[in-house]
Amino acid sequence: MRRIAEKLMLTSKNEEERDERRYYGIGLILSVVLTVASFASVMTGLLPRPWIFPALVVLALSQIVVHLRIFLHIDLSRQKREDLQVLLFTLLLLGIMAFGTLWILRDLAHRMM
Amino acid sequence: MSTQENIHPGMNLGYEGETHVAELKVFGFWVFLMSDLVTFGLVFAIFGTMVGATAGGPGPEDVTNLRSVALQTALLLGSSFAFSWASLSMKYHETRLRTLGWLAIAATSALCFLIVEFLDFRHWLEIGAVPQRSGYLSALWALVGLHGLHVFAGLLWMAAMTGQIIVFGLTDIVKSRVTRMGLYWHFLDIVWVGIFSMVFLAGVA
């Protein structure tokens, strides 16, 4: 009886490992695809010039989300500590400070012309 | 996905004893990482204000070697992934050898990243793209250099973890430290995504 129970535990552990490795594998494949797409958009010249920068922003943001979700396990589930809230609050602060910096210094540069 | 409850960001390695302490420490480290994110974000913002401020000196086209950047990207992503594999070996097999093997691959990959980056830096110095040449170059060196320093610190940390795994084995304390190192390592990869996209690719687009 005990042996069967141990064996059952072992198989579920093996399955769990396989699933988790697959999950990380998907993360790697997505990261590689998004990275290749970023480099290709610049190096191949397939995209019209004005589209390149927005494409780079979208690809980078998607890859960041993939990393956060798969490698760092930050998701929308509720049982965790305030990891996501801390991240979002940091992004809010950064939004204010980084956008403010860009705005003020651009304006200043413009006035110095 | 693992069925067990995730108590903190990053891989949950499954602790034998008290999980509370590990949970608190990882959360604290997460808060530190977020403060580091603010630092990186503001250096990015400064870089954003300095795009185009080349003062007639070397510009993005002169300092960007896309092949080298692609190689660095692959090395860092590879290192990050090897670290995940090391953590998974730790979680499911609990053997030191396998964990140490993947850690060694992660460390070698990161070391190669630093060497390739160093070669780029040397090239910049050769063409006169020194930090004091222009606002653009100051911001570039600050941003890429800050990331490089972080990777170097990560390498030291990895060496320390290797030593601890050999000496102490895979104890709860070591597992919790490896988890935090994993968070740090993946975080640096995220920052690099921003650097290769916004600094190098956008610079030559």
Side-chain angles (χ1 to χ4, degrees):
Chain A
M1 199 61 207
R2 218 179 114 199
R3 201 172 290 165
I4 294 171
E6 269 173 13
K7 207 177 171 188
L8 270 177
M9 258 179 76
L10 205 66
T11 41
S12 80
K13 208 178 175 191
N14 281 343
E15 271 171 19
E16 198 184 309
E17 180 186 1
R18 202 190 53 209
D19 286 352
E20 199 162 357
R21 280 187 193 270
R22 188 179 290 157
Y23 191 64
Y24 273 81
I26 291 169
L28 178 70
I29 291 167
L30 282 176
S31 304
V32 170
V33 168
L34 290 167
T35 304
V36 169
S38 292
F39 277 86
S41 72
V42 171
M43 291 168 100
T44 58
L46 284 173
L47 270 182
R49 268 186 85 90
W51 287 70
I52 293 181
F53 187 70
L56 283 176
V57 172
V58 171
L59 287 167
L61 286 179
S62 329
Q63 185 164 181
I64 288 171
V65 170
V66 167
H67 279 241
L68 283 174
R69 178 74 183 78
I70 296 189
F71 297 142
L72 291 174
H73 303 253
I74 299 294
D75 54 35
L76 299 173
S77 62
R78 277 181 173 266
Q79 74 271 28
K80 267 175 254 176
R81 278 179 174 269
E82 301 81 353
D83 310 311
L84 184 63
Q85 283 88 327
V86 175
L87 175 66
L88 292 175
F89 181 63
T90 308
L91 292 181
L92 173 70
L93 284 182
L94 258 186
I96 296 168
M97 292 192 284
F99 178 73
T101 304
L102 286 167
W103 186 13
I104 291 167
L105 285 178
R106 284 267 162 83
D107 190 55
L108 211 58
H110 185 69
R111 285 167 194 274
M112 297 281 279
M113 289 288 169
Chain B
M1 227 359 249
S2 88
T3 45
Q4 83 209 50
E5 199 184 19
N6 284 325
I7 54 167
H8 54 59
M11 193 181 297
N12 285 246
L13 291 171
Y15 306 102
E16 284 149 19
E18 285 268 308
T19 57
H20 179 68
V21 178
E23 183 192 349
L24 256 185
K25 283 187 172 168
V26 175
F27 181 69
F29 190 70
W30 182 250
V31 174
F32 158 72
L33 277 185
M34 292 302 105
S35 70
D36 216 20
L37 181 64
V38 171
T39 310
F40 270 113
L42 288 180
V43 180
F44 259 106
I46 295 294
F47 180 83
T49 64
M50 289 298 164
V51 170
T54 52
E61 297 82 11
D62 307 301
V63 296
T64 305
N65 176 353
L66 280 185
R67 275 195 176 173
S68 157
V69 174
L71 180 61
Q72 289 173 56
T73 306
L75 285 168
L76 207 59
L77 185 62
S79 178
S80 190
F81 193 69
F83 196 90
S84 302
W85 242 232
S87 312
L88 282 170
S89 307
M90 203 172 199
K91 179 174 179 180
Y92 291 106
H93 298 280
E94 314 242 325
T95 57
R96 289 186 205 190
L97 205 62
R98 226 194 263 212
T99 309
L100 287 174
W102 283 109
L103 267 185
I105 293 173
T108 314
S109 198
L111 186 65
C112 292
F113 168 87
L114 281 179
I115 291 170
V116 177
E117 187 164 61
F118 178 76
L119 291 177
D120 266 6
F121 285 168
R122 212 179 56 176
H123 175 67
W124 295 357
L125 292 178
E126 277 167 3
I127 61 169
V130 287
Q132 62 269 35
R133 179 64 187 80
S134 65
Y136 167 75
L137 288 169
S138 306
L140 178 78
W141 279 89
L143 180 54
V144 182
L146 185 66
H147 179 266
L149 269 181
H150 273 77
V151 174
F152 181 69
L155 262 181
L156 293 182
W157 193 351
M158 232 186 262
M161 286 325 299
T162 305
Q164 292 190 14
I165 290 172
I166 293 170
V167 176
F168 303 127
L170 306 180
T171 60
D172 277 2
I173 293 173
V174 169
K175 278 181 180 173
S176 149
R177 285 175 186 159
V178 166
T179 308
R180 274 173 271 159
M181 159 101 227
L183 287 181
Y184 181 78
W185 214 228
H186 291 307
F187 168 76
L188 284 187
D189 212 15
I190 290 177
V191 173
W192 181 255
V193 170
I195 291 180
F196 83 71
S197 305
M198 294 298 110
V199 175
F200 294 116
L201 287 176
V204 294

